[in-house]
Amino acid sequence: MGRVALVTGGTRGIGAACSKALKDAGYNVAASYAGNDEAANAFKKETGIAVFKWDVGDYAACEKGVAAVEAELGPIEVLVNNAGISRDAMLNKMTPEQWSEVMRTNLDSVFNVTRQVINGMRDRKFGRIISISSINGQQGMLGLSNYCAAKAGMIGFTRAVALEGARKGITANAIAPGYVATELLSGVSEKVMEAIVGQIPVGRLGEAEEVARCVVFLAADEAAWITGSTISINGGQLAD
Ligand code: NDP
């Protein structure tokens, strides 16, 4: 039986690609989601991957949700912190709700879920924590001060957890994708999208599967010496 992997927000977009790629690589996968039952059920039917509904921004819900996953599949050995949202506005127009919705879903969630699995990983001396940050956690972007802050926060979290887990067989890494064709970008106008693609040297948006490939790479037992890193996947948009 393969290792157990949980992908938060694993039923759509990048998360769905990660769930499928991990399953194809032999993992026993659970995919969580927030509320889109239709998409989750279609995903479950298509892939046979178990789905679990809870809000990753809610600590108590994460305690229950992770317990439900572990009761059904066994101890989580690979965690992909992927669930995320955007609520874009220039700072001078941003509401406290737009700020806090993004912070709780994109950053509090990383604490809320990782906290549930960290002791088990420490006890078993194996763990892989992979957090999907963003190019916008590495550089600024106008209209995204909430999102940029949360995504940069994920990178700081990853570095600290990597140090804490280093002698316990636990790695923590972030992936910073550039713009990937998913529903998250559905609110972006055609004109802005053209401008974004114009900034990508490879000349196209990324595919969710291209991010998933990196997740599978970092999840492997053989990736034990990669920790505390942020891996950029952005078609050359931020060649650092
Ligand atoms: P999608 O909007 O396509 O999918 C988001 C997933 O997250 C869905 O499964 C959704 O569940 C779930 N989710 C949202 N909020 C919550 C919540 N509160 N609790 C539990 N699950 C939740 O997003 P993407 O695939 O585009 O993005 C995935 C991650 O990658 C995000 O963290 C995003 O910031 C990051 N990213 C995306 C980029 C892009 O260009 N698309 C670029 C860089 C980073 P439900 O279906 O129920 O709504």
Side-chain angles (χ1 to χ4, degrees):
M1 198 60 149
R3 294 191 183 279
V4 174
L6 168 64
V7 182
T8 68
T11 57
R12 288 198 290 121
I14 293 171
C18 295
S19 299
K20 288 185 210 170
L22 285 165
K23 184 183 177 200
D24 290 347
Y27 293 83
N28 197 6
V29 181
S32 84
Y33 70 106
N36 188 336
D37 296 319
E38 201 182 324
N41 290 333
F43 170 84
K44 185 179 174 182
K45 200 169 160 198
E46 178 204 332
T47 62
I49 291 171
V51 299
F52 296 82
K53 177 162 76 170
W54 80 84
D55 175 5
V56 293
D58 176 337
Y59 186 84
C62 289
E63 273 184 307
K64 276 194 197 155
V66 168
V69 171
E70 295 200 324
E72 198 169 313
L73 275 70
I76 294 164
E77 296 169 293
V78 176
L79 169 63
V80 184
N81 287 311
N82 164 79
I85 57 168
S86 57
R87 298 286 184 269
D88 303 351
M90 295 292 281
L91 181 59
N92 58 306
K93 293 186 179 156
M94 188 175 286
T95 63
E97 291 74 25
Q98 287 173 318
W99 174 266
S100 56
E101 274 181 52
V102 167
M103 294 306 285
R104 75 186 283 287
T105 305
N106 295 13
L107 184 58
D108 292 359
S109 62
V110 174
F111 166 74
N112 292 346
V113 183
T114 311
R115 180 67 182 80
Q116 310 309 323
V117 301
I118 196 72
N119 279 327
M121 289 179 173
R122 289 173 69 90
D123 290 346
R124 292 186 300 276
K125 300 205 167 23
F126 181 88
R128 296 283 181 265
I129 299 160
I130 303 161
S131 299
I132 310 299
S133 175
S134 168
I135 191 171
N136 291 321
Q138 299 170 300
Q139 64 173 13
M141 177 54 66
L142 50 87
L144 266 66
S145 58
N146 50 1
Y147 188 87
C148 291
K151 292 297 182 183
M154 290 172 85
I155 293 173
F157 174 89
T158 294
R159 290 176 176 151
V161 173
L163 298 180
E164 293 184 10
R167 296 292 174 100
K168 298 281 182 188
I170 301 167
T171 67
N173 293 288
I175 296 175
Y179 290 83
V180 178
T182 71
E183 285 170 36
L184 193 78
L185 299 188
S186 58
V188 178
S189 71
E190 212 170 300
K191 199 172 152 211
V192 172
M193 194 55 84
E194 261 175 40
I196 289 171
V197 172
Q199 291 167 8
I200 303 174
V202 169
R204 62 168 175 84
L205 296 178
E207 301 286 339
E209 290 71 22
E210 291 174 308
V211 179
R213 185 172 169 76
C214 187
V215 167
V216 173
F217 173 74
L218 290 173
D221 287 23
E222 294 79 4
W225 218 49
I226 305 172
T227 194
S229 293
T230 300
I231 300 189
S232 301
I233 306 181
N234 56 38
Q237 189 178 350
L238 188 67
D240 57 352

